[in-house]
Amino acid sequence: MIVLGIESTAHTFGAAIVNKKGQVLSDVRDIFTTTTGGMIPTQVAEHHTQVADSVITKAFADAKVNHVDLVVYSRGPGLAPCLHVGIAKAKEYAKSFGCDIIGANHPMAHLTSGLLFTEAQDPVMLYLSGANTQIIALEAGKYRVFGETEDVGLGNALDKFARTLGLGFPGGPQIEQLALQGKWIELPYTVKGMDVAFSGIITRVTQLAKKGVAKEDLCYSLQEVFFSMITEVTERAMAHLNKQEVLLIGGVAANKRLCSMLGTMCKARGATFFAVPMQYAGDNGAMIAWQGLLEYHAGRREKKLDIYPYERCDEIDVIWKSAKPPLSK
Ligand code: AMP
Ligand code: MG
């Protein structure tokens, strides 16, 4: 069985073709970027509309196939104008192949692709992307959220400060580079139970930037404080849930300092740290294809083709037996 996955929740329009062994036959992406601002949903959707056909055509060419048995689209959460582009293209291609189509929850796809691409078995999952910051684990048939951000997502918080510094979007990688030359300055630290909050800290570094504090020092200290907060709640989740693995997923997983901090914490506990391979850390169609295939294989069919801009991963029943390949039939 060969599956086309289409991703369009935010900045990335992606198309990928995956088989039931979990092999990625192709993975093509076109990412909206800007040097001046953030993401304006209608502008991003316009970008997706313009690149959709060429991205999907290339995905078929790279995979050397001209037919799929299932089309999967990213149904949410995400920016509604962008989700509309994805579902429309998915319908178009499913119709042309006369095959089934189902929607996949985007965060869930990040989680299960983390299991597809790593050896992790039963981890505490740390989902750190632009809009999302959640500490998640599979317990009693659902991926349950044990801690999360009380305001913005970690990536968006970094992007917001990057915008203040005039670094463009996405800002996380730029902040990571500047941080290499920085030194520590005192910042607030806001962990509340199992949750974290980033906005107040962003307000503080913005004030300090306006006062002329070196941007390298601000970037370094911002990373140290954000990543320490995340590491603290992750460790507490591991202790409560008695889990011996951490799996980091989402675009912020590309950050080396974050990985090293989590790795140090895991080592101290005798636990194992996994991060989704860098090439699959960001949004991509392959994870959408795999998620759809898991659900389709477990018997789910889409009753109503729609988008769900606010759907959370803990709303979804985990009907598939394992997220690991190969699928049985
Ligand atoms: P996603 O929404 O999962 O595609 O992730 C995108 C987010 O990851 C954006 O907010 C980026 O700024 C952030 N990001 C990407 N690379 C890095 C990095 N090296 N360090 C920190 N954040 C990053
Ligand atoms: Mg994502």
Side-chain angles (χ1 to χ4, degrees):
M1 187 166 189
I2 294 187
V3 185
L4 167 67
I6 296 179
E7 161 57 29
S8 74
T9 55
H11 40 67
T12 300
F13 189 90
I17 296 183
V18 171
N19 66 19
K20 69 176 187 179
K21 291 182 190 160
Q23 290 165 330
V24 180
L25 306 182
S26 65
D27 173 15
V28 184
R29 310 171 201 184
D30 196 310
I31 303 176
F32 171 87
T33 56
T34 163
T35 49
T36 49
M39 284 193 281
I40 298 170
T42 48
Q43 271 180 16
V44 186
E46 181 54 36
H47 161 268
H48 292 356
T49 304
Q50 276 172 18
V51 303
D53 280 321
S54 63
V55 168
I56 297 172
T57 304
K58 187 166 183 336
F60 278 95
D62 288 359
K64 298 190 175 60
V65 299
N66 52 21
H67 179 271
V68 289
D69 307 299
L70 176 69
V71 175
V72 189
Y73 67 95
S74 202
R75 69 183 188 192
L79 305 171
C82 300
L83 294 170
H84 279 298
V85 180
I87 189 174
K89 279 292 152 198
K91 282 181 182 171
E92 193 183 308
Y93 280 83
K95 195 170 170 204
S96 78
F97 293 124
C99 70
D100 276 345
I101 168 172
I102 68 172
N105 173 275
H106 174 101
M108 185 63 83
H110 271 296
L111 300 186
T112 55
S113 70
L115 295 170
L116 170 65
F117 295 122
T118 70
E119 299 296 311
Q121 294 295 328
D122 181 24
V124 166
M125 299 175 140
L126 196 47
Y127 175 32
L128 304 179
S129 68
N132 299 279
T133 300
Q134 291 180 324
I135 294 104
I136 302 167
L138 181 60
E139 288 287 326
K142 286 227 163 120
Y143 280 95
R144 296 180 197 270
V145 177
F146 290 91
E148 61 191 316
T149 176
E150 291 190 342
D151 41 45
V152 294
L154 176 55
N156 285 356
L158 293 169
D159 293 338
K160 191 173 174 197
F161 184 55
R163 196 154 73 234
T164 304
L165 296 181
L167 300 176
F169 174 85
Q174 318 270 5
I175 289 181
E176 180 173 23
Q177 285 313 308
L178 286 169
L180 296 173
Q181 270 90 51
K183 59 180 188 318
W184 171 249
I185 50 162
E186 195 70 25
L187 291 178
Y189 183 96
T190 40
V191 170
K192 304 177 182 186
M194 287 295 288
D195 293 334
V196 290
F198 301 122
S199 288
I201 304 171
I202 292 296
T203 303
R204 181 66 186 144
V205 282
T206 303
Q207 286 167 348
L208 292 171
K210 284 184 184 147
K211 282 186 185 160
V213 176
K215 58 186 177 204
E216 290 81 2
D217 295 349
L218 292 173
C219 290
Y220 172 80
S221 306
L222 188 64
Q223 284 202 158
E224 292 303 298
V225 82
F226 276 3
F227 299 164
S228 302
M229 287 159 50
I230 292 291
T231 304
E232 179 192 328
V233 287
T234 304
E235 181 168 27
R236 200 148 52 238
M238 293 172 82
H240 278 306
L241 297 165
N242 197 20
K243 304 249 190 212
Q244 309 305 326
E245 297 173 332
V246 171
L247 172 58
L248 176 61
I249 50 185
V252 189
N255 189 288
K256 292 196 179 57
R257 177 61 183 140
L258 171 66
C259 290
S260 116
M261 224 187 251
L262 288 165
T264 303
M265 179 274 285
C266 284
K267 199 166 170 208
R269 298 181 62 79
T272 314
F273 171 65
F274 296 93
V276 70
M278 194 95 90
Q279 82 184 104
Y280 296 112
D283 293 349
N284 64 84
M287 66 180 197
I288 301 301
W290 184 244
Q291 182 59 39
L293 183 49
L294 286 179
E295 296 187 35
Y296 191 83
H297 190 260
R300 192 172 78 75
R301 301 293 179 266
E302 203 65 77
K303 291 190 194 80
K304 183 171 164 253
L305 289 180
D306 211 344
I307 60 161
Y308 297 86
Y310 299 101
E311 185 180 64
R312 287 168 59 100
C313 68
D314 52 4
E315 292 170 37
I316 292 170
D317 290 323
V318 179
I319 53 170
W320 53 99
K321 286 202 178 66
S322 162
K324 301 277 189 193
L327 302 182
S328 58
K329 53 177 194 310

